[in-house]
Amino acid sequence: MISTLHPRGNPSPPCTVTQASLSPSADHPHTDGAAALRVALAGMAALAAAMGIGRFAFTPLLPMMLHDGVVDIATGSWLATANYAGYLAGALLYMALPWLGRRLGGVPGNATLVRCGLVATVLLTGMLALPWPAAWPLLRMLAGVASALVFLGTANWCMGRLAHLGRPAWGGLIFCGPGLGIVITGLPTSAMVAAGWSAAAGWAAFSLLAAVLCAGAWAVFQGGEAPLAAAPGSTGAASAPAPRPAAERALLAIAYGLAGLGYIVTATFLPVIARAALPAGSVWPDLFWPIFGAGVALGALLSTRIAPTRDRRWLLAAAYVLQAGGVALGVLWPGPAGFALGSLLLGLPFTAITFFALQEARYQWPQAGAGFTGLMTALYGIGQIAGPPMAAALLARAGSRAQGFDWALGVAGSVLLLGAVLYGVMAWRWSPQHKVSTG
């Protein structure tokens, strides 16, 4: 007798794994803790490289670039936007892979995408150390493409493998990766500044760090897609539940897109905002970003401990409110304690939001596979793209830099609260299905 958890708690992973594939077989053991741990750690390392470094190393290095005089706030905003535009392009490309595969006779699998994206992350990060400012927007855009492909490829491949190995809840460990990457890039920044390093030296160092992380994950991402075990007499298509109402799926996608705009102002400008608000020479501004990263990792770990029967829509609503509180603290309490607590609150639900939203997407529309998760990631990318130009526009109109950032953070916090309301509407309008048991 196999107990199938509430569909919201244990959905089919995207693309390749169906509920039927979770059944045990003689050829593929249902539970393999050691193999599952290797998969989770490899996914963590991959996301630490592609997301923590490939995307977010720009945040702690931006003050160094401003100090070196190689960029100003407006240029930095557009470099951030180029990266987020690349992330959007990568998500759209991933969403189109099934269509391309039908017309080209096949496309690379998730494991191959991850490997290629990791190599690109190392190279593109290192090239930012070169004195080619005209090429930096293109490099940041390509880094965004690579990070999206690695993120989606890692999430789909690893979560499929973990489901097959009987450890689907360990998927939360994968999403500790971005937070750990943020911590290991944020903490050395103070030492780099104290040692008189240039931003170019920082980019070179982070490229080497990304290479080390990639080497740690490389051996696991091989052998094609995860082997699947089908239950006798059943198929994924036959056992997959019908998709949820189109209106609910639309609200889910919109609400997830709002999260991209809600966090990105702080995630792009946190060290700059803190340096402007605190006395010159304070050591605190270099610590808030690692605190954010530690919150990201801790939140992802805690997400694995949440009961799988909980309605993820309410969990997402609570996560958005928590992030909105973190954003508000940067405006209402602009001191070391306020920035530290705000950074922690912003980070705690960061990857948990992604983890729960992608689970919810697979529950609401399991047949869509990569298409729906790619669409949601694309909307998230659009929200990110809108953030830095919005902040730059408000800074240009404000009486001071502090006032402009306050306006931008106010918009971001309001957007997060709107997203929380949308999840509440979804949970109120469409009640969850009951827990079922099959034999």
Coordinates of all heavy atoms in Angstrom, one line a residue, residues 12 30 67 74 86 120 131 156 176 193 236 239 332 420-422:
S12 N 4.1 16.0 -9.1 CA 5.0 15.4 -10.0 C 6.1 16.5 -10.4 O 5.7 17.6 -10.8 CB 4.3 15.0 -11.3 OG 3.3 14.0 -11.0
H30 N 13.5 2.5 -4.6 CA 12.6 3.7 -4.4 C 13.4 4.7 -3.5 O 13.1 5.9 -3.5 CB 11.3 3.3 -3.7 CG 10.4 4.4 -3.5 ND1 9.8 5.1 -4.5 CD2 9.9 4.9 -2.3 CE1 9.0 6.0 -4.0 NE2 9.0 5.9 -2.7
H67 N 33.3 53.0 -6.7 CA 34.5 53.6 -6.1 C 35.7 53.7 -7.2 O 36.4 54.7 -7.2 CB 35.0 52.8 -4.9 CG 36.3 53.3 -4.3 ND1 37.5 52.9 -4.7 CD2 36.5 54.2 -3.3 CE1 38.4 53.5 -3.9 NE2 37.8 54.3 -3.1
A74 N 23.4 55.1 -12.6 CA 22.6 54.8 -13.8 C 23.2 53.7 -14.6 O 22.4 52.7 -15.1 CB 22.5 56.1 -14.7
G86 N 18.7 39.0 -19.7 CA 19.2 37.7 -20.1 C 18.6 36.5 -19.4 O 18.3 35.5 -20.0
A120 N 29.8 28.5 -19.0 CA 29.5 29.9 -19.4 C 29.6 30.8 -18.2 O 30.1 31.9 -18.3 CB 28.2 30.0 -20.1
P131 N 39.1 45.2 -19.0 CA 38.7 46.6 -19.1 C 38.0 46.9 -20.4 O 38.4 47.6 -21.3 CB 40.1 47.3 -19.1 CG 41.0 46.3 -19.7 CD 40.6 45.0 -19.2
N156 N 14.8 21.1 -12.5 CA 14.0 20.0 -13.1 C 14.8 18.6 -13.0 O 14.2 17.6 -12.6 CB 13.7 20.3 -14.5 CG 12.6 21.3 -14.7 OD1 11.6 21.3 -14.0 ND2 12.7 22.2 -15.6
C176 N 19.2 26.0 -1.3 CA 20.2 26.7 -0.4 C 21.3 27.3 -1.2 O 22.0 28.2 -0.7 CB 20.7 25.7 0.6 SG 19.5 25.1 1.8
V193 N 38.2 45.2 -0.1 CA 38.3 46.7 0.0 C 39.4 47.1 0.9 O 40.2 48.0 0.6 CB 36.9 47.3 0.5 CG1 37.1 48.8 0.8 CG2 35.8 47.0 -0.5
G236 N 2.2 7.9 -16.9 CA 2.1 9.2 -16.3 C 0.9 9.9 -16.9 O 0.2 10.6 -16.2
S239 N -2.3 8.8 -15.1 CA -2.4 9.1 -13.7 C -2.4 10.6 -13.4 O -2.6 11.0 -12.3 CB -1.4 8.4 -12.9 OG -0.1 8.8 -13.3
L332 N 12.0 52.3 7.2 CA 11.5 52.8 8.5 C 12.5 52.8 9.6 O 12.4 53.5 10.6 CB 10.3 51.9 8.9 CG 9.1 51.9 8.0 CD1 8.0 50.9 8.5 CD2 8.5 53.3 7.8
A420 N 0.8 38.9 -2.2 CA 0.2 38.1 -1.1 C -1.3 38.1 -1.1 O -1.9 37.0 -0.9 CB 0.7 38.7 0.3
V421 N -1.9 39.2 -1.5 CA -3.4 39.3 -1.7 C -3.8 38.3 -2.8 O -4.8 37.6 -2.6 CB -3.8 40.7 -2.0 CG1 -5.3 40.8 -2.4 CG2 -3.6 41.6 -0.8
L422 N -3.1 38.2 -3.9 CA -3.5 37.4 -5.0 C -3.5 35.9 -4.5 O -4.4 35.1 -4.9 CB -2.5 37.6 -6.2 CG -2.6 38.9 -6.9 CD1 -1.7 38.9 -8.1 CD2 -4.1 39.2 -7.4

